[in-house]
Structures are given as structure tokens and as C-alpha cells.
Amino acid sequence: MTFTQLEIFALVAELGGFTAAADKLGISQSAVSHAIRQLEKEWGLTLLTRGQAGIEATEAGRGLLLRVRELLGVAEAIRQEVSAARGLNRGVLRIGSFGTTSSLLLLPRILEQFKASYPEIDVFVEEGEDDEVAQWLAERRVDVGFVILPDERFDTMPLVADQFVALIPAAHPLASQPSVRLADLCAMPFIMTLAGNTSLIEKLFESAGLRPMVKHRYAQIITIVKMVESGAGVSIVADLAVPAPLMALCPGMVKKPLSPVVGRSVGLAVPSQKHVSPAVAAFLQTSKSMVKSLRGGSLGGL
């Protein structure tokens, strides 16, 4: 068993194909196949099989894949610490991000400062829904991720406080009220966000014993905003997902706090604070400093 074989195994499972893994590693497909065969022969297990979506890990392979990714993460951390000791600050950083709050408002500003301070660190970003990012963290597919707090599965660092708001057509009678109850939103078509927080919003209604009339489901916040403005329905999203510049583009829509207020907290998470690489530690520190400097101003009331 070699680190190269483990890296190839993890990459084939992640990308779903031998060719894709070979292209990313810059080696031949036969070399990838040979590495997998040698690993399976040594372990006496079938690690990969062909499924409907391509090559995927077997049940035994999935169980080992988590440990393989942990081991590769430790190896990467050692390489980064050696580079830091030599004054090179090189390495790889994989970030999981979701929705407007992290991908649009927080991450670009944090990365701008991070890349200025650590230009030799190679950064990769994967965007998905909030539940997906948490899953990627658990599977060690990303090193650090934006999450909704609290999340007891990981070591976390709070970044920003937020709340949920109702999006209402400006011409609707609810638009003149200071706040909106969940029950008020059940009397008209509801637009459910798929851009993050879907499960949280569903639980809000469930806990209140209510069921919204979901007629639309959209993954893009701009689509949700424009559909509300057109009068197609109402929605609930995170306040930071609809910042002032976006509101200015949609004068036919207003946002109102929920009554009672429903808050949320967004932060960064790592599988274990004790085993973070120098690149992750630097990203966490940069994020903490950057968000502190932005509070009360350019992020719309953070």
C-alpha cells in the first residue's frame, strides 16, 4: 500500500471514473487501473464497481474511503507544516460553501485577503446545499466548510448571526405589516428555496403544525426574488441572502421579519480542530479577522 495508490483510490471514487482520475493526476488510465488492482489484491477486497452513475465505491470500499481520506489529510498537513517550517507556505485547501450568505457575501472577501497573504496555497471551492457541505466534511472531501450552527458533528467557529425573513410582493396587504406570522404565509402559494435552509424552513412549519402551499421550488435566490416580485407567491429565506443591492433591483418585493423572530448562525466547521493543516488554520484565522472587520457595515448589519 502506497500513498499514491490511496490517492488514486480516493480520486476515482470522488470523480466516478478512471479516465477522469487519470486526467486530473496527469497519468495514464492504465496506471490508474493498475494502482487499484494492486490495492484490491493487497487488501483482498473489491473496492470499486460500476454503477448507474459511473464508477463508485463498494460497501467495503465506502467504509475504507473515510479512513483513506483521513490519512491523506494527515499527509497533506505534514507536507504543509514542512513547507511552513521552510518559509514556503505552500499547500492545498479545499473549501465547501453554500448559498448566497457564504458564496457571495463572505467567501469572496475572505479569499481575497487569504490569497494576498498566502499566494502559494492552492484553493479549491465546492458549492452545494448546506446539508451537502456537512456531508462533504464528514467524508473528508473538503477540509473546511461553511455550515449552519450549531452542528455537534464538527469543531466550529461562528462567523455571522442572521435571521429568516418573509419575501412578500409589495402590493400584497402583508407588505404593510411590521412582521409576518408563519400562518399568514399559508394562505397563498409558497415558493420553497432549494438554495439552502430547505430542511430548516420545512421544520419551522412542521413545529408550528402548519403546511404551506408549496407551488414552486427554485435553487437560485434571484429566481425566488423575481417570482415573488411578479406575484407568483411568497417565500422564506435568510436575511443575508437578499442584501440591499439585490433588494434595490426588485422594488416590487419587500422582506419582513418573522413573528416570532427566527434566527440562525453561520460559521465554519472542520472535522477536528486538533488535526487541521496550516492552510486550514490560516483560513480560519483570516475568516475570523475579516468578518470582525465587516461587522456593522458592509454586510448589511452583521
Side-chain angles (χ1 to χ4, degrees), residues 117-222:
S117 302
Y118 306 95
E120 297 300 320
I121 294 179
D122 202 8
V123 177
F124 297 90
V125 179
E126 294 282 348
E127 186 182 57
E129 295 183 22
D130 41 357
D131 291 341
E132 286 182 304
V133 173
Q135 185 66 28
W136 295 341
L137 277 167
E139 295 174 351
R140 304 305 201 270
R141 289 180 56 180
V142 296
D143 305 307
V144 58
F146 290 88
V147 297
I148 303 298
L149 302 178
D151 196 320
E152 303 299 331
R153 294 171 293 179
F154 311 112
D155 289 338
T156 59
M157 181 181 77
L159 291 179
V160 296
D162 195 9
Q163 65 175 318
F164 288 104
V165 294
L167 302 184
I168 310 290
H172 194 278
L174 286 176
S176 62
Q177 297 187 13
S179 61
V180 176
R181 300 175 304 155
L182 287 178
D184 297 331
L185 302 175
C186 293
M188 61 199 78
F190 192 85
I191 301 170
M192 180 64 74
T193 174
L194 298 178
N197 298 307
T198 306
S199 60
L200 292 177
I201 294 170
E202 290 174 341
K203 288 176 183 178
L204 283 180
F205 284 102
E206 289 174 5
S207 62
L210 300 170
R211 179 176 296 179
M213 296 188 297
V214 178
K215 302 293 186 181
H216 307 260
R217 298 179 186 271
Y218 298 113
Q220 299 297 323
I221 191 67
I222 186 62

Side-chain angles (χ1 to χ4, degrees), residues 93 95 103 106-118 123-125 146 283 286-287 290:
L93 177 64
I95 304 169
S103 294
L106 296 175
L107 187 57
R109 304 175 190 210
I110 295 170
L111 280 182
E112 182 180 11
Q113 180 62 49
F114 182 79
K115 293 300 291 182
S117 302
Y118 306 95
V123 177
F124 297 90
V125 179
F146 290 88
F283 182 78
T286 301
S287 301
M290 179 59 65

Side-chain angles (χ1 to χ4, degrees), residues 243-267:
L246 181 55
M247 292 295 297
L249 295 174
C250 303
M253 182 204 71
V254 299
K255 62 179 179 180
K256 297 290 181 177
L258 297 178
S259 178
V261 173
V262 180
R264 72 163 190 169
S265 178
V266 178

Side-chain angles (χ1 to χ4, degrees), residues 57-77:
T58 62
E59 183 176 356
R62 287 193 298 272
L64 292 166
L65 194 56
L66 177 60
R67 297 303 181 193
V68 168
R69 285 172 173 154
E70 288 178 348
L71 187 57
L72 293 173
V74 171
E76 174 61 25

